[in-house]
Amino acid sequence: MGRVALVTGGTRGIGAAISRALKKAGYNVAANYGGNDEAAQAFKKDTKIPVFKWDVGDYVACEQGIVSVENELGPVEVLVNNAGISRDAMLQKMSHEQWEQVIRTNLDSLFNMTRPVINGMRERNFGRVVNIASINGQKGQLGLVNYCSAKSGVIGFTRALALESARKGITVNAIAPGYVATELLTGVSEEVMKSIVGQIPVGRLGEADEVARCVTFLAADDAGWITGSTLTINGGQFMD
């Protein structure tokens, strides 16, 4: 029986690729999602991965959702905090709601999801937490103060929890993807897309499966000496 892996935002985009890759690697995967029932059910039918709906920005909902996952599959041993949204605007035009929505989903969710599983990981002396950050949390980006703040926070969360958890067999790492070909880029104009790709030394967008392979690597039992790291995967666009 494979280890149980829970992926937030796990039915679409990068999250769906992560869920599929972990299942292929032998994990018992649970995919969380927040709102798109049609996409989630299509994903479930296609992959046979069970899906669970709750808002990762709501702590009580996360507690209850994790109980549901563990009742069905067993204790969560691998947690992938992938769920994220964007509400782009220059700060002088950004509403408090746009700020709050992004911080709640992209950063508060890490506490909401990790707090309910960390004690079990510590008791079992094993755990893998992989947090999806972003190139924009490393270098900043115009019109993304909320998003960049949250994703920078993801990296800080990762480093601190890695220190707290290392002696309990728990690794905590972040992955910072660059621009990946997902539906988040659907509304980007051709001109802007050319500008984005022009800044990437390898000359193309990333693929969700490329990010998923990084998650599978960090989640593995034999990745136990890698913790507190941020793995950048951006085609050379930003090097740190």
Side-chain angles (χ1 to χ4, degrees):
M1 200 64 140
R3 294 192 182 279
V4 175
L6 172 55
V7 183
T8 67
T11 63
R12 293 191 293 164
I14 291 174
I18 292 169
S19 296
R20 288 190 178 96
L22 288 171
K23 181 181 179 181
K24 185 177 180 181
Y27 293 85
N28 289 326
V29 180
N32 152 268
Y33 74 102
N36 192 325
D37 294 315
E38 184 178 352
Q41 291 307 313
F43 171 83
K44 179 180 178 179
K45 182 178 180 181
D46 179 50
T47 64
K48 305 301 187 288
I49 292 172
V51 299
F52 298 82
K53 183 179 182 179
W54 73 81
D55 176 6
V56 293
D58 181 329
Y59 181 75
V60 173
C62 290
E63 281 190 313
Q64 294 172 345
I66 289 167
V67 167
S68 297
V69 170
E70 294 194 329
N71 284 342
E72 184 169 329
L73 299 178
V76 173
E77 297 167 289
V78 176
L79 173 63
V80 183
N81 287 309
N82 165 75
I85 62 171
S86 62
R87 299 288 185 268
D88 303 349
M90 299 291 280
L91 184 63
Q92 68 269 23
K93 296 181 180 179
M94 183 178 293
S95 68
H96 181 261
E97 183 180 21
Q98 288 174 309
W99 169 268
E100 190 172 51
Q101 286 176 339
V102 169
I103 297 299
R104 185 173 180 270
T105 300
N106 296 16
L107 183 57
D108 289 351
S109 62
L110 269 68
F111 176 87
N112 296 344
M113 289 298 304
T114 311
R115 179 64 181 84
V117 302
I118 195 68
N119 283 339
M121 290 180 175
R122 291 176 68 88
E123 289 166 5
R124 293 186 297 272
N125 290 300
F126 180 88
R128 297 286 184 265
V129 180
V130 182
N131 302 315
I132 306 302
S134 168
I135 186 175
N136 292 322
Q138 296 175 301
K139 73 177 187 60
Q141 181 62 39
L142 291 168
L144 297 176
V145 167
N146 48 3
Y147 187 86
C148 294
S149 297
K151 292 301 187 179
S152 292
V154 168
I155 294 171
F157 178 99
T158 297
R159 291 173 177 171
L161 185 59
L163 290 173
E164 293 182 8
S165 306
R167 292 190 181 274
K168 287 293 184 177
I170 303 166
T171 67
V172 188
N173 293 288
I175 295 173
Y179 289 90
V180 177
T182 68
E183 62 188 58
L184 284 176
L185 294 179
T186 300
V188 175
S189 69
E190 185 177 346
E191 182 180 351
V192 171
M193 187 63 71
K194 285 182 179 179
S195 175
I196 290 171
V197 173
Q199 298 172 44
I200 302 173
V202 303
R204 66 172 176 85
L205 299 175
E207 297 292 338
D209 288 342
E210 293 176 305
V211 180
R213 286 193 288 272
C214 294
V215 174
T216 303
F217 167 69
L218 291 173
D221 282 21
D222 57 6
W225 215 52
I226 306 169
T227 196
S229 295
T230 300
L231 177 57
T232 58
I233 171 169
N234 58 41
Q237 185 177 357
F238 180 79
M239 303 180 190
D240 185 17

